[in-house]
Amino acid sequence: LHYPLRRQRQMCIRDRTVLGRHAGHGQPYAVWVNSASEALARDIHGLGYKAVLTGEGGDELFCGYPTLHAANIARYYRHLPASLRRLIASATDLLPAGEGRLPISFMAQSFAKSVTGDLIRSFYGFKEVIRFSEWKEALTPEAYAMLGEIDPALAFTQYRDRIDGWPLIDQLSYIDIKSFLASCSLVPNDNAYMSRSIETRIPLLDLEMVELVKTLPLGVRFSATEPKRLLKKALNRYLAQNAPEAVAALGPYRKMGFEVPTTAWIKGPEFGPVLERYLAPQAVRRAGFFNPSYVTAKLEAQRAGKANHERLLQTVMAMQHFLE
């Protein structure tokens, strides 16, 4: 979904867009950063380029996602007494809300409230936005009657038989490739860029690259203390030998994800009318999917800085827009 935005921080969005315009997704898509991707693609097209290289696949192939490392820790954490794990889970609610896509509070709560004896279900829980256990509170009775018996973790657990017997990290990397990479990364990113007639090329997902990585021992691909260690070492050496001027230009720059200032937008006056249109109790009630009091409570907690519900609010807005 593409909402009316303006340039903020390092964003390349220069002008307002039509409210509710789709970036070619054809379905609810609850990640506002794709509005930035489309705006970036527009600028690239304006410079006369027709194709770009992107870096998708690096986290999946080289074990970079925090959720993968959380699952590795969960192998041991799940053996703690249940009473102690419940106490830790409750304590995570006391952490400062933080800002950004992955504040410490969000990651700690996702971990502590998701770990069970089933590591694949726990792995899904690390990525869950509205927890399955909250659906009865979050949805209207009618929506819950339709969906309440369907655990969305099926998106991951459906592969259980196929990966049985593999090392845990290989199991979860496979699940990420089959589900998250395909549905949450490649498709929406391609839609955003193609909406501006820009094609993307993905070197890390070249067939020969993937086949090579598959042959490497797990101990080479995965490091419990340094995500994507192999990829970093390979690129550091290559850049130092072949592009020293690029290394010098980057200087102390640290890699960061492509972000949008969601917290600032939610609290800021310019985005207020958009929130009111989709998240006001009457709008939520009219759509008939989410419980208005649940949405209002999450929005008020976000605005007051008491909790970080950025992902949840993006999800609700996407669904509200889709149902309007």
Side-chain angles (χ1 to χ4, degrees):
L1 300 176
H2 198 172
Y3 297 99
L5 312 170
R6 281 172 46 178
R7 177 186 293 275
Q8 298 192 42
R9 298 180 185 173
Q10 297 302 314
M11 295 289 294
C12 56
I13 299 175
R14 290 191 302 243
D15 56 288
R16 291 187 178 271
T17 55
V18 179
L19 182 64
R21 178 182 174 188
H22 288 266
H25 293 302
Q27 60 184 321
Y29 189 73
V31 180
W32 294 351
V33 73
N34 264 48
S35 294
S37 296
E38 185 182 350
L40 179 60
R42 180 190 60 205
D43 283 3
I44 291 170
H45 185 270
L47 294 172
Y49 295 100
K50 300 297 183 183
V52 295
L53 301 179
T54 68
E56 283 89 352
D59 285 302
E60 288 80 6
L61 291 180
F62 298 97
C63 307
Y65 283 129
T67 50
L68 197 65
H69 292 263
N72 189 51
I73 297 172
R75 290 193 299 170
Y76 310 100
Y77 181 84
R78 62 178 172 162
H79 296 301
L80 293 177
S83 58
L84 178 57
R85 286 191 278 116
R86 285 195 295 270
L87 180 62
I88 294 173
S90 298
T92 61
D93 291 331
L94 303 177
L95 292 170
E99 295 186 2
R101 185 173 56 92
L102 288 174
I104 292 176
S105 61
F106 179 86
M107 291 190 289
Q109 290 163 10
S110 294
F111 178 84
K113 297 180 180 182
S114 299
V115 175
T116 68
D118 184 344
L119 290 175
I120 292 180
R121 181 61 181 82
S122 300
F123 186 58
Y124 181 84
F126 300 156
K127 301 173 185 281
E128 217 166 10
V129 176
I130 302 178
R131 301 188 184 286
F132 187 42
S133 59
E134 291 184 37
W135 279 22
K136 198 163 189 176
E137 176 189 1
L139 306 181
T140 63
E142 296 77 14
Y144 187 78
M146 291 188 294
L147 303 173
E149 300 301 319
I150 305 173
D151 186 346
L154 178 63
F156 285 11
T157 58
Q158 64 177 314
Y159 299 109
R160 197 188 298 276
D161 292 341
R162 191 178 305 178
I163 59 181
D164 185 46
W166 295 11
L168 176 65
I169 299 302
D170 282 339
Q171 290 187 38
L172 304 184
S173 294
Y174 180 86
I175 289 172
D176 265 339
I177 289 171
K178 297 294 288 186
S179 57
F180 188 83
L181 175 65
S183 300
C184 299
S185 183
L186 295 180
V187 170
N189 196 54
D190 184 63
N191 286 342
Y193 278 87
M194 285 304 296
S195 71
R196 299 294 177 173
S197 300
I198 297 293
E199 295 190 19
T200 58
R201 298 288 183 265
I202 311 170
L204 292 177
L205 293 182
D206 180 83
L207 180 59
E208 293 183 359
M209 170 66 80
V210 175
E211 292 293 336
L212 171 63
V213 174
K214 282 173 54 180
T215 67
L216 301 176
L218 179 59
V220 174
R221 289 181 283 112
F222 176 75
S223 168
T225 58
E226 185 181 359
K228 292 187 286 191
R229 180 178 62 183
L230 177 61
L231 182 61
K232 291 176 182 177
K233 287 184 176 297
L235 289 180
N236 281 341
R237 181 178 179 182
Y238 175 84
L239 290 173
Q241 292 178 347
N242 297 279
E245 67 284 353
V247 175
L250 287 172
Y253 172 81
R254 292 184 59 190
K255 176 186 177 296
M256 62 178 292
F258 193 39
E259 302 285 351
V260 295
T262 306
T263 297
W265 288 349
I266 291 174
K267 293 182 178 180
E270 293 188 3
F271 208 60
V274 183
L275 290 172
E276 287 302 315
R277 173 169 178 175
Y278 293 108
L279 300 187
Q282 61 270 26
V284 177
R285 192 174 298 109
R286 185 168 57 250
F289 189 79
F290 289 105
N291 177 356
S293 61
Y294 175 86
V295 175
T296 297
K298 298 298 183 182
L299 178 58
E300 289 179 350
Q302 175 75 30
R303 282 174 163 168
K306 296 179 179 179
N308 189 304
H309 297 307
E310 286 189 9
R311 288 187 168 191
L312 185 148
L313 293 171
Q314 291 179 63
T315 298
V316 173
M317 284 190 66
M319 196 64 183
Q320 285 289 111
H321 183 280
F322 183 74
L323 293 173
E324 186 179 62

